[in-house]
Amino acid sequence: MLIRRKRGWEIPESRATPEAVFLNRREILAAAGGLGLATALPRFAHAEEDPSAGLYPAQRNPRYTIERDVTPEKINAHYNNFYEYSTDKDLADAAQALKVRPWTIQFSGLVEAEKTVDIDDLLKAMKLEERVYRHRCVEAWSMTVPWTGFPLADLVAYAKPLGSAKYIQMETFLDPAMAPGQNQPFYPWPYIEGLTMAEANNELAFMVTGAYGKPLLKQMGAPIRLHTPWKYGFKSIKSIVRVSFVEERPINFWQQLQSSEYGFWANVNPDVPHPRWSQASETVIGTRERIPTRIYNGYGEFVAGLYKGLESEPLFM
Ligand code: MTE
């Protein structure tokens, strides 16, 4: 990315949460809630104020669990990319300025009827589940995250696009008063991303509204973001306010900024280097282990078929 390349993954061991503590947190919270003890437990900024908190934790879908250890929440919560708030990785404090209620999502473009839905009404209309996904950034680091949300395919069905729609385009909010990074004119705000309709309807494409058994933290893109685990993380747009269905291929935020380095497809491939660094391996955030990167981030069996006949496209940038 066009960033100050800080070796931010070098988090001191002292900041890591022992795995067992973190994995038991849901059960502890559930038990402590009944005893009125929740305030004695570690808090993660403002999640408790979220009106959707009662919907979490959702049941884990065993189809989407993986062999890697989950990245501790405390580490994930202080290692984020959210340029609306900062180009530094530890932007948790800055992101608290994000106001997540009221929040609406507008459906526009090639749809049967344009409409706007309140996030809490949308959450009621969707069936939430938990999925543990690999999360691989183009900057060659990775995490493993227990996201909660619903398939993007369900959102597409809810929006009722016309048959002429070829792509889905998503947009982050635009509000420089709430997001200081948006005062930086160098970047093409608002952040936008897009997928083909076939990608959007692939079973892996996931609308994320929570993580670690509770509503999404602000720094992770509350109240609703995308996660496409077979693609580099920049496709996984945060804090979405508009979903449009279009005929023309969207030009995403990073592509607008530097099309020689970032493209539309952005599928993970260890054999196709970024122009400025190798993609052959990745640093695991939290352990600093260096592990080999896998084609489609290990999800080839789910997604490789999407790209048959598209071999002439730059599928891996
Ligand atoms: N969405 C918005 N609106 N703004 C951003 O800066 N960064 C992207 C993506 N979505 C970004 C965004 C990048 S580069 C990555 S790697 C992931 O979010 C990071 O998600 P995480 O902070 O939950 O790890």
Side-chain angles (χ1 to χ4, degrees):
M1 326 229 84
L2 271 191
I3 49 171
R4 274 189 310 116
R5 296 207 63 234
K6 206 172 107 179
R7 295 159 77 202
W9 57 77
E10 292 180 5
I11 294 164
E13 285 305 330
S14 56
R15 275 174 52 189
T17 308
E19 197 69 14
V21 172
F22 141 75
L23 285 174
N24 285 332
R25 191 166 176 274
R26 272 201 279 170
E27 289 86 326
I28 296 167
L29 271 178
L35 298 169
L37 293 176
T39 49
L41 292 159
R43 285 171 62 94
F44 291 93
H46 306 307
E48 287 79 359
E49 291 162 21
D50 194 303
S52 67
L55 300 173
Y56 303 86
Q59 197 165 10
R60 183 173 290 186
N61 185 337
R63 184 167 163 80
Y64 310 102
T65 49
I66 59 165
E67 74 295 348
R68 293 185 193 166
D69 288 340
V70 164
T71 305
E73 180 184 17
K74 268 193 175 170
I75 289 181
N76 189 340
H78 293 278
Y79 195 93
N80 302 101
N81 274 337
F82 202 172
Y83 275 49
E84 284 81 347
Y85 288 96
S86 178
T87 54
D88 284 340
K89 293 288 189 265
D90 191 353
L91 50 83
D93 286 346
Q96 298 318 308
L98 170 61
K99 208 168 160 283
V100 296
R101 292 292 188 289
W103 192 276
T104 56
I105 299 157
Q106 199 186 335
F107 295 93
S108 59
L110 302 169
V111 286
E112 280 178 20
E114 299 203 335
K115 60 185 171 193
T116 299
V117 63
D118 180 82
I119 183 72
D120 293 302
D121 293 334
L122 181 68
L123 283 167
K124 276 181 219 140
M126 296 292 154
K127 188 173 179 309
L128 299 187
E129 63 181 58
E130 184 179 77
R131 297 182 176 192
V132 180
Y133 273 170
R134 295 183 199 95
H135 175 31
R136 168 63 156 85
C137 179
V138 74
E139 296 163 345
W141 54 259
S142 67
M143 299 199 206
T144 302
V145 190
W147 300 118
T148 306
F150 53 88
L152 172 53
D154 291 355
L155 191 77
V156 171
Y158 180 89
K160 299 197 171 78
L162 300 176
S164 51
K166 292 201 172 68
Y167 299 92
I168 186 170
Q169 176 175 311
M170 299 187 188
E171 258 177 65
T172 298
F173 67 85
L174 180 61
D175 185 349
M178 182 170 77
Q182 291 183 334
N183 290 303
Q184 167 57 269
F186 173 72
Y187 293 107
W189 308 112
Y191 200 101
I192 75 154
E193 259 307 337
L195 298 170
T196 64
M197 291 305 293
E199 290 177 323
N201 282 312
N202 182 273
E203 67 170 275
L204 287 185
F206 202 49
M207 295 308 297
V208 174
T209 59
Y212 299 93
K214 57 180 193 255
L216 205 53
L217 295 177
K218 293 180 178 183
Q219 61 268 38
M220 293 181 196
I224 185 164
R225 69 173 297 173
L226 175 68
H227 192 238
T228 47
W230 72 100
K231 292 178 177 284
Y232 292 118
F234 70 84
K235 297 293 292 181
S236 293
I237 179 173
K238 294 180 167 183
S239 304
I240 296 162
V241 294
R242 193 202 307 263
V243 176
S244 318
F245 295 87
V246 295
E247 249 183 285
E248 297 258 307
R249 184 178 293 181
I251 303 176
N252 66 44
F253 179 87
W254 286 103
Q255 220 181 340
Q256 287 178 49
L257 210 49
Q258 191 77 336
S259 61
S260 59
E261 298 192 352
Y262 305 102
F264 170 76
W265 299 99
N267 295 309
V268 175
N269 188 337
D271 298 327
V272 180
H274 182 276
R276 289 185 279 134
W277 57 85
S278 164
Q279 296 292 16
S281 63
E282 61 204 55
T283 298
V284 178
I285 300 302
T287 68
R288 297 190 222 165
E289 220 185 328
R290 196 84 196 168
I291 58 170
T293 288
R294 293 164 67 185
I295 180 99
Y296 297 114
N297 203 20
Y299 295 103
E301 61 180 307
F302 293 95
V303 298
L306 290 170
Y307 306 106
K308 294 243 160 69
L310 292 171
E311 290 78 6
S312 61
E313 293 269 339
L315 294 174
F316 304 105
M317 69 167 282

